Amino acid sequence: MIILLAALVLAACSGQAPDAAPPSAATTSAGTTTITVLQLNICHGGMAGCYRGDAVLAKASEVIRSSRPQVLSVNETCAADVERLRPAMGDARALFVAARNLDGTPTQCRDGDQYGNILMVADGFAGTTEETGTYDAQYRALDGHLELRSWACLPAGEISACTTHLSSDDAPTALAQCRDLMRRAAGYPRPAVVLGDFNLKDQGSPSMAECDPPGFSRRGDGGVQHIYAGEDLSFARTTVIDMAGTTDHPGLLASLSTGH
């Protein structure tokens, strides 16, 4: 006991937080369960002007630890970031999907690692099924870094979840990709959530609202990041998080409620 106490005091003094405990949903006496979901775009590939190096991983880990989400979506990331973010997330099922070059090979981060999107769902909420892919609709000119956009889903657990990063240089293509993913998500067991950088705004032509399917509600960060929740979930609170200049996107945190 004395050794354990000393170790915890030492960690506090050094400014290093211990690994996160597995997050659990809160259940009220009325039988309502609150599920927390977090959307991040960390610009960690190293190719874009928003790249700020590993400082964004430290900030992302801080946000994850403090918000303790059951579902985490991370865009513009590298495959190795799964293990670098896992201590903050706690016990979770993780799925990475690479974006693709025009020839079908995986897009690479600056350091040669694969570049794409991460989805994590806390143990106890995640199913064992994994699905990933690229979209049929792709803008093959100068879309970001000549990448074919991808999606990843962990369906059929206590919650079905998806992440995506859509076309940045052609809004009609992004809309087609969004509709494709939402059709897929509509067929998953409920409750279901879809998070990501959709590269579509509420004001625009086309607008993000043109993707909104029946059976889902949506909240956004005022820009291009959005969270969809199935009709059996309701948004209790949505928070936009300042990432302190480590990336060009804020974090988007939502608390979702579901009754039993």
Side-chain angles (χ1 to χ4, degrees):
M1 178 65 73
I2 294 175
I3 293 173
L4 175 59
L5 179 60
L8 291 174
V9 171
L10 180 61
C13 292
S14 66
Q16 294 179 348
D19 288 355
S24 58
T27 303
T28 69
S29 58
T32 298
T33 299
T34 299
I35 299 171
T36 302
V37 301
L38 176 63
Q39 160 62 28
L40 299 173
N41 181 326
I42 64 172
C43 192
H44 196 230
M47 302 86 73
C50 54
Y51 178 69
R52 297 294 181 270
D54 288 349
V56 73
L57 291 176
K59 182 60 179 178
S61 295
E62 173 191 319
V63 170
I64 295 164
R65 281 193 176 94
S66 63
S67 58
R68 303 187 72 237
Q70 284 78 46
V71 178
L72 171 66
S73 162
V74 188
N75 304 137
E76 293 195 49
T77 187
C78 304
D81 295 343
V82 171
E83 296 310 317
R84 300 177 75 175
L85 295 174
R86 189 186 291 278
M89 182 67 182
D91 294 335
R93 188 174 188 88
L95 180 60
F96 174 84
V97 59
R100 297 281 164 175
N101 297 314
L102 298 186
D103 63 3
T105 58
T107 304
Q108 292 184 334
C109 293
R110 172 187 285 191
D111 63 1
D113 194 11
Q114 291 189 13
Y115 167 84
N117 306 302
I118 293 171
L119 179 65
M120 292 191 190
V121 178
D123 285 355
F125 290 84
T128 58
T129 303
E130 299 180 353
E131 295 187 1
T132 63
T134 54
Y135 295 99
D136 290 336
Q138 298 283 354
Y139 185 65
R140 294 175 180 268
L142 296 176
D143 192 2
H145 301 279
L146 297 177
E147 64 188 270
L148 303 180
R149 303 298 172 130
S150 62
W151 55 269
C153 297
L154 290 170
E158 291 299 313
I159 187 168
S160 295
C162 297
T163 182
T164 194
H165 183 207
L166 302 186
S167 174
S168 61
D169 287 307
D170 190 70
T173 299
L175 178 60
Q177 292 169 347
C178 181
R179 288 172 170 169
D180 184 349
L181 181 59
M182 294 312 299
R183 282 192 295 269
R184 183 179 301 276
Y188 286 150
R190 302 297 178 93
V193 293
V194 180
L195 304 85
D197 180 343
F198 290 80
N199 276 309
L200 290 168
K201 297 182 179 180
D202 286 317
Q203 290 76 37
S205 181
S207 72
M208 186 65 189
E210 293 178 59
C211 182
D212 294 347
F216 284 85
S217 57
R218 176 176 55 84
R219 297 290 185 275
D221 65 352
V224 295
Q225 294 180 111
H226 303 272
I227 297 171
Y228 277 106
E231 59 191 350
D232 43 358
L233 296 167
S234 58
F235 283 92
R237 188 168 78 172
T238 305
T239 305
V240 176
I241 301 171
D242 183 0
M243 296 296 288
T246 59
T247 174
D248 61 340
H249 293 71
L252 179 59
L253 179 69
S255 296
L256 303 169
S257 297
T258 180
H260 293 291

